[in-house]
Each structure stands twice: as C-alpha cells, then as structure tokens.
Amino acid sequence: MKELLLVSALAGLSFIPFITQAQFASGVISYNPGSGFSPNFTNSGAALGAPASGSGITPFAPPFSTSQIVSIGAGGSLTLQFNTPILNNPADRYGIDMMIFGNSFFVVTSGSGSSAITSGAIFTSTVSTRVEVSADGSTWFTLDPGLAPNVGTLFPTDGTGNPFVPVNPALTSADFNGLNLSGIRALYGGSAGGTGFDLSWARDGNGNSVELQSASFLRIDVLSGRTQVDAVSVVPEPGAWAIGAVGAVLWLKNGRRRKASR
C-alpha cells in the first residue's frame, strides 16, 4: 500500500510542472506589427510561455523589456498556438477560460513603494482590439466585441500572483480607488491579473453564437492604437489540478510518516 501511495504521489508531483508548462502559448503562427507599434518591441516570442513574475513585477510596475512583451500596432495581429487547448468550461471561475497579460499599470497618485496609493486609473496605450479563436487554425470565430475587453488594459500584472486564477471581471478601475498594493492584491484574490476571456463568447461571421468546445489557436487583432502582449494563460482543468494536489499531499504525508518511524 505504501508503495502505491508513493507512486501516486510521485506521479502527482511530476504532473504539477507539466501542467504549469503546458498552460501557455507554445508557438507563434504569425505576427504583423501593424503601424504605430512600439519600436524595438517586435520579438513575437516574448508572448510565449508564462507572464513576467517575481516581486519586481507589480500592478504598479509592469513588465517592460523587449524579452517580456511584444507590441502590436493598428492593423497588426499576433496569432498563437497552444499545445494544451483552451477549454470552454462553465465551471471555470467567473466562466473565464484564458487570460491575456499586457503591461498596463495602476497610476500612483500619492506615496511610493509599499505605501503607494492609486486612484484606480490605468496607464495603458489607447487601443481597440478584436480577439479571434480557432480549433483547427482554419475556421475562426470572433469573441463577441460587446463582451470581450480590450487586450492589455485591466488587470495589471502581479508577479507574485497565480496566472491561472482570473480577477473578478465585474471589478472596474473605480473599485481600486484609494488602494495600496496590499489592497489591490486583496481584490485580486490571489490572481496574477490579466484580461479574462470566455470561449462562450465565440460568434460566427454573421454574429451568431457558436458552441466552441475548445480552441488551440488565438489571434489578437489591433483595430486602432496599439497594445503590448506578455503572455496568454489557459485555465487548467479542475481534474488536472486535483491530481497534482493529491499527489503532493500524499507525498508529504508519506515523508512525515517515515520521519516519525525513525
């Protein structure tokens, strides 16, 4: 029995990094910088993998290097592929199936560092975007413009948060008025921020709703202005997280029992 528990635990632990690595964009299909993009920020590979992380990245201090973000100007687009499909799962928190991370940040109105206070105003490029998704890379559907937020606006990235947990989309910039970093993180509820999207918003060319169960391709079109993209995260299946979590718990319990028996 102990051997079985150990095997299960090890399987769970090995599954955790696999989940983490697989839940982001894995390849760039095409990139057109458009016009008015930010000079030098044309490394499309910057949009692959996880968003910028660490204590140096906060909702007041966004990712800003050429290795962290890629810029898309008016008329431009970025098309990404995912090894792990984006799933349309109503059970996801707030119904959000994926998050796109940019480099917007909350404007500081007083104080600095840990005592900085924001009015809730967001510093970001003026932009209008369209997000399209596809299961096969050939047939594309637009996420309802009336529901889909503009890419790269709310919510600024928090490098200490979880990139798979969405912020409550009902929150607006006004809800952050008067908050410091701790207050912002409290509203984020452990999230790393990002702009949330739901595959149930998919519409065909006539504007009719379609039942798209999953998407392995994502296209960000900039209609006007410009935006910056750091990463796209896919909300994991609840079952996948459960396997990893159970494995970790079993491994820890087994380790404690071995120590206690010595």
Side-chain angles (χ1 to χ4, degrees):
M1 182 63 180
K2 288 183 178 180
E3 287 76 9
L4 179 60
L5 288 175
L6 182 57
V7 169
S8 298
L10 291 175
L13 286 173
S14 64
F15 200 51
I16 293 173
F18 172 77
I19 295 172
T20 303
Q21 294 170 6
Q23 301 303 131
F24 304 104
S26 55
V28 176
I29 301 300
S30 64
Y31 168 58
N32 173 10
S35 61
F37 60 91
S38 297
N40 300 321
F41 289 85
T42 55
N43 172 22
S44 59
L48 303 180
S53 61
S55 58
I57 303 296
T58 76
F60 292 128
F64 63 88
S65 75
T66 55
S67 64
Q68 293 173 318
I69 56 175
V70 57
S71 182
I72 315 168
S77 66
L78 175 66
T79 304
L80 302 171
Q81 183 174 11
F82 298 82
N83 285 336
T84 299
I86 305 163
L87 299 181
N88 186 3
N89 188 353
D92 288 337
R93 185 181 293 190
Y94 311 117
I96 297 299
D97 301 314
M98 64 175 177
M99 282 81 73
I100 301 178
F101 295 83
N103 77 327
S104 63
F105 60 91
F106 285 110
V107 175
V108 175
T109 52
S110 65
S112 62
S114 60
S115 62
I117 301 294
T118 182
S119 64
I122 298 289
F123 185 91
T124 184
S125 301
T126 300
V127 66
S128 175
T129 61
R130 176 177 60 223
V131 175
E132 300 176 90
V133 291
S134 173
D136 57 11
S138 298
T139 303
W140 291 86
F141 302 99
T142 299
L143 297 188
D144 188 343
L147 299 172
N150 282 317
V151 173
T153 52
L154 279 172
F155 294 91
T157 303
D158 181 10
T160 65
N162 187 333
F164 306 127
V165 174
V167 178
N168 183 350
L171 293 172
T172 67
S173 59
D175 293 307
F176 295 89
N177 182 26
L179 298 184
N180 60 10
L181 184 56
S182 295
I184 293 171
R185 286 174 171 165
L187 283 188
Y188 271 30
S191 172
T195 306
F197 296 86
D198 184 349
L199 285 191
S200 67
W201 299 341
R203 302 291 184 266
D204 63 19
N206 296 317
N208 300 313
S209 177
V210 298
E211 292 188 10
L212 187 64
Q213 297 304 311
S214 66
S216 295
F217 300 86
L218 169 75
R219 178 182 295 142
I220 300 169
D221 301 308
V222 174
L223 307 180
S224 64
R226 70 183 178 199
T227 193
Q228 282 66 238
V229 176
D230 176 13
V232 182
S233 68
V234 179
V235 176
E237 291 185 79
W241 281 115
I243 292 172
V246 169
V249 170
L250 289 174
W251 181 81
L252 289 172
K253 285 185 175 179
N254 198 37
R256 288 170 182 168
R257 287 170 181 167
R258 288 199 302 272
K259 287 182 179 180
S261 64
R262 290 176 182 174

